[in-house]
Amino acid sequence: MPHILLIDDDFNLLQMVKLMLERVGHQVEVAKEGEKGIVLAAQNQPDLAVIDVMMPGLSGYDVVRKLRDDPLTAGIPIIILTARSQPMDKQMALDAGANAFLSKPVTAQELIDRVDAVLKAGVGFRVHTGLLTEPVPERVTPADGVPSVSVPSPFGPGIVTPVPPPAAATPPASALPPSGPRSTRRPIGVEEAPAPAERTMPPSPSEASRRPIGATDNLPTMEAAMSRRASAAAPPGVPPAETPAGRKPIGAEVVRPAAASGVRLPVVTVISLRGGVGATTVAINLAFGLTGSTHRVGLLDLSPTSGHVALYLHLTPPQHWGLLLGQGDAPDTRTIQQMLLPHTSTGITVMAAPPMPTPETLSQPAAQHILRQITAVLNPVVVDARTLDTAVIGSLLLSTCVVVVTSDDPASVHSTGQLLAALQNQGIDMNRVRVVLNHPRPTFDLPADTIQKALKRPLAADLPYEPKQSVAIRKGVPLVLGMPDGSFATSIRQLARMVLG
Amino acid sequence: MQSQVQGQASIRKGFVAGEFLTRTYRISGEVELRGVPLLDQLNDLNAQFMTLERMYVSPLLDPAVLSGSAPIGEVRKDSMGVIILTQLKDGLPQREGRYMGRDHVDKNMLIVVSGLEVVGSLRVHPSVNVPNFVRTTPEMFIPVFNATATIATRREIVFKGGAILVNRNRIEVFCMVDS
């Protein structure tokens, strides 16, 4: 019976969450203050801690840092549960050392699913929305008995702190944000001594990027996130089997993705080797179906034969991954970031394929490097793949889920059968493969049952024919956005939920 | 009066959490609804202040850092630039026709308010002239749906929400955006 420690100053919520967890058999202990929670954690060594952020006294971030600092408690997986649910809050929580982030209000099922996932993954992994799992970067993973704690950026870990030039003029004091370590949080009205040495300056007008009003370009953040995570994600991140205190994380015996067959990234590869089955349409709509308040979805068109993602979305990408072909196995991060093109009004970000067919494609390591860089800032990333070349295999090996799109004509089914066999030969975990039947034409050919028998696999989704599909493509508005209540969009959203776990 | 009270019985009760952004601060707190949607409370011109419970304050340029807290605080409504509601249902009247026309369409807009660039959509009847609506509606706060708010001087700081309530009195510029 896992032992869970809840730290929250809201008594009602404390009782509610406690009840939710106790109903599924967890043993729950509660603390109404951060200080008391830290003491209880050290004394009782819970299997998991669920911590609120907004608490009087020590904030949740402070509690997480203190738990990570103490070798006795450094191995406790932590979930942050807070009403502050903006992207910078999640980044702050993860950088402080939390393993998962949940925003209030939370349903019982969401909480239980996340608790179970974190208990299974252990302290060495972060569990994101959709239960996507990734290794914790080394700097917050307790190692060698000495937990490493990053120096907090004055502007918060998720935010780029521009470094002013040495001779930059000091802005007026009123322009300076409040300073000091986070533990100096004080009740409103209590005077705080200034700490000029730790103050930071907002960017001067010359430093501030000049972009059109309303532009959704977040490149500075992307660059920072990429530099933060690139080194951590590059090697397979296998968590330590034993924590510094000798505690074996709960679920250590469970086969973890990273330990079993390499690191998985929050990548969904949509593939079909036969043209005309609507794989690109499915990939685009799936990407939009995955978009939510907490998701910044990326869409990578890996087609070497003039991919159509940009065309379908009415985007005119100034750059594409074809420009990375000469850069070896580890293309330049900045160049990759410049290729990410935001789709205005939806927030989805696209990396386009070369507009002209290319005789060569990215190597497997290069494709995986690009995906690591993209997933550092976008989660999840949908890959549209139309061949089984080295780049696509690189993507497939890293993918959390592979969606194989087929149609109801015999040639598509035959091609799909061969593709599935090829995926197995490439070492792809077939448990991650989902076969989706799409109907790009109004006429029906083979029934779904026949297709399932032929492929010896169940169909994960049956996407209905939508006569307005061609209109949606012409307008550049995917059906998930243009006709959100239609049966096609509904099926895509169901597929998205399945893909997310 | 009696029928009005009964009519409001179905309105969500309890607390609604929101992010109240001024020019300099991010204030997180909970508002007790008392049977009145948050948007109606904000647009009630009889009260200049609104009570927040479990109030936590961050500098807007360092929005993840908690710099102060108070069990109960009062915010002056007309000094708020925008109010971010994580979920659409939070704080908004559920009945279509209030703040959004029947058979509504989404009109994409960019609104610069208190140094924040708010991009999202206004839900109005297709016949509504949106600029006229924004200029002349008597409500102080208008909801912008599926919105993001970006700090104009720190574009990497972005707030998202199911709805962002924009204070018309603080609008600096607004325009329609192609969908």
Side-chain angles (χ1 to χ4, degrees):
Chain A
M1 180 188 295
H3 175 203
I4 298 174
L5 172 64
L6 287 179
I7 308 176
D8 196 328
D9 65 314
D10 186 340
F11 180 75
N12 292 331
L13 196 104
L14 207 59
Q15 293 304 312
M16 192 175 67
V17 174
K18 183 183 178 198
L19 192 64
M20 287 177 184
L21 295 174
E22 283 179 341
R23 287 178 66 180
V24 292
H26 298 309
Q27 181 188 343
V28 181
E29 184 177 27
V30 298
K32 285 191 72 175
E33 295 164 1
E35 292 87 347
K36 186 182 172 191
I38 291 170
V39 173
L40 286 176
Q43 281 176 354
N44 302 335
Q45 299 282 304
D47 299 312
L48 173 72
V50 180
I51 303 173
D52 182 25
V53 168
M54 294 189 286
M55 295 186 289
L58 283 182
S59 75
Y61 303 132
D62 298 328
V63 174
V64 174
R65 289 193 193 94
K66 285 182 181 293
L67 291 177
R68 289 284 176 260
D69 276 346
D70 185 348
L72 274 176
T73 55
I76 300 174
I78 295 171
I79 295 176
I80 285 284
L81 176 62
T82 178
R84 285 195 155 201
S85 56
Q86 297 297 330
M88 72 285 287
D89 303 315
K90 179 178 180 182
Q91 193 60 49
M92 182 83 157
L94 296 179
D95 285 357
N99 297 88
F101 180 90
L102 272 175
S103 56
K104 297 176 187 173
V106 65
T107 65
Q109 196 57 49
E110 280 175 329
L111 178 70
I112 291 162
D113 287 349
R114 197 65 69 92
V115 164
D116 289 345
V118 173
L119 282 170
K120 281 180 185 171
V123 72
F125 282 84
R126 288 175 177 169
V127 180
H128 296 286
T129 306
L131 308 184
L132 295 169
T133 305
E134 64 162 3
V136 174
E138 281 179 18
R139 61 196 181 87
V140 290
T141 302
D144 303 324
V146 183
S148 59
V149 176
S150 61
V151 178
S153 159
F155 277 92
I159 297 161
V160 177
T161 305
V163 180
T170 305
S174 59
L176 296 171
S179 59
R182 288 169 176 79
S183 58
T184 60
R185 186 162 57 90
R186 67 204 187 282
I188 292 172
V190 176
E191 291 294 327
E192 182 190 35
E198 296 188 14
R199 283 185 169 175
T200 53
M201 290 174 255
S204 66
S206 61
E207 290 165 336
S209 54
R210 290 172 185 159
R211 297 194 178 88
I213 292 176
T216 54
D217 191 356
N218 289 329
L219 294 182
T221 310
M222 292 179 176
E223 183 180 2
M226 285 175 175
S227 60
R228 275 201 306 273
R229 283 189 43 191
S231 59
V238 180
E242 297 288 333
T243 63
R247 295 176 63 246
K248 193 171 184 179
I250 295 291
E253 69 282 2
V254 175
V255 177
R256 295 170 182 158
S261 56
V263 174
R264 299 270 157 70
L265 296 175
V267 173
V268 178
T269 301
V270 179
I271 183 170
S272 173
L273 297 189
R274 180 167 166 80
V277 301
T280 299
T281 304
V282 171
I284 291 172
N285 280 281
L286 180 60
F288 284 96
L290 288 167
T291 308
S293 60
T294 57
H295 290 102
R296 292 185 60 215
V297 179
L299 184 53
L300 169 59
D301 188 347
L302 266 186
S303 169
T305 54
S306 59
H308 291 147
V309 166
L311 180 71
Y312 282 19
L313 295 176
H314 286 201
L315 291 172
T316 49
Q319 299 190 69
H320 50 82
W321 59 255
L323 303 173
L324 301 172
L325 286 173
Q327 294 197 13
D329 289 344
D332 177 51
T333 299
R334 182 177 292 272
T335 312
I336 294 172
Q337 127 194 353
Q338 288 170 348
M339 291 175 177
L340 297 174
L341 182 65
H343 184 255
T344 50
S345 81
T346 61
I348 211 164
T349 304
V350 174
M351 180 182 276
M356 297 291 288
T358 59
E360 58 177 331
T361 186
L362 296 164
S363 67
Q364 185 173 315
Q368 293 185 336
H369 175 78
I370 291 170
L371 280 170
R372 286 192 190 96
Q373 303 304 318
I374 299 177
T375 51
V377 290
L378 301 169
N379 181 346
V381 171
V382 176
V383 176
D384 180 25
R386 287 204 252 159
T387 59
L388 203 56
D389 55 27
T390 53
V392 172
I393 291 171
S395 169
L396 290 167
L397 289 170
L398 283 181
S399 295
T400 312
C401 183
V402 177
V403 175
V404 175
V405 183
T406 188
S407 182
D408 57 359
D409 62 294
S412 291
V413 177
H414 178 254
S415 168
T416 303
Q418 290 179 321
L419 173 59
L420 291 172
L423 293 179
Q424 199 158 13
N425 289 339
Q426 291 294 333
I428 309 297
D429 178 5
M430 298 307 281
N431 291 325
R432 294 184 284 123
V433 177
R434 305 277 182 271
V435 180
V436 171
L437 175 61
N438 186 33
H439 294 277
R441 291 170 292 278
T443 54
F444 284 82
D445 199 337
L446 298 173
D449 287 346
T450 307
I451 295 171
Q452 292 185 104
K453 284 178 187 170
L455 299 178
K456 298 187 178 75
R457 291 183 70 86
L459 294 172
D462 188 350
L463 305 177
Y465 170 71
E466 175 50 62
K468 292 190 177 174
Q469 193 73 260
S470 57
V471 178
I473 293 171
R474 276 204 300 277
K475 285 185 175 177
V477 181
L479 280 175
V480 167
L481 296 180
M483 292 177 61
D485 299 327
S487 54
F488 181 85
T490 304
S491 300
I492 284 286
R493 281 195 294 273
Q494 286 173 352
L495 177 63
R497 282 194 290 273
M498 186 184 302
V499 162
L500 286 175
Chain B
M1 175 61 85
Q2 183 64 28
S3 61
Q4 188 180 356
V5 171
Q6 286 173 347
Q8 291 177 344
S10 61
I11 295 174
R12 227 160 76 90
K13 290 189 171 64
F15 289 87
V16 159
E19 310 264 11
F20 298 72
L21 305 187
T22 71
R23 264 205 172 270
T24 44
Y25 286 106
R26 171 192 185 188
I27 303 167
S28 304
E30 295 174 355
V31 179
E32 187 172 3
L33 293 180
R34 300 177 193 276
V36 181
L38 175 61
L39 193 49
D40 283 351
Q41 291 193 34
L42 286 166
N43 284 329
D44 177 5
L45 300 180
N46 291 318
Q48 281 191 324
F49 287 84
M50 173 178 277
T51 303
L52 290 189
E53 299 191 18
R54 288 169 49 77
M55 187 175 76
Y56 288 80
V57 178
S58 302
L60 192 59
L61 294 180
D62 202 354
V65 173
L66 299 174
S67 60
S69 64
I72 292 182
E74 301 281 343
V75 293
R76 185 167 169 135
K77 292 190 290 189
D78 59 5
S79 69
M80 299 294 118
V82 303
I83 295 158
I84 296 168
L85 303 176
T86 308
Q87 298 188 14
L88 188 61
K89 65 184 179 186
D90 286 345
L92 295 187
Q94 296 299 297
R95 187 161 58 84
E96 193 174 324
R98 296 176 68 188
Y99 303 106
M100 60 177 89
R102 295 184 193 285
D103 304 322
H104 60 262
V105 293
D106 285 353
K107 302 271 192 176
N108 290 345
M109 292 203 67
L110 163 66
I111 304 174
V112 180
V113 50
S114 290
L116 293 154
E117 294 170 7
V118 178
V119 178
S121 55
L122 239 56
R123 287 191 181 155
V124 291
H125 188 273
S127 65
V128 169
N129 180 317
V130 174
N132 274 353
F133 167 75
V134 176
R135 283 198 303 264
T136 60
T137 182
E139 309 289 6
M140 183 162 43
F141 286 87
I142 53 175
V144 181
F145 296 93
N146 298 319
T148 60
T150 307
I151 298 180
T153 53
R154 295 287 306 277
R155 303 191 53 77
E156 67 274 18
I157 304 178
V158 180
F159 296 89
K160 295 178 180 176
I164 292 183
L165 312 181
V166 172
N167 185 348
R168 283 178 53 248
N169 295 342
R170 297 276 161 183
I171 289 179
E172 295 159 13
V173 60
F174 73 90
C175 60
M176 306 294 293
V177 179
D178 290 337
S179 55

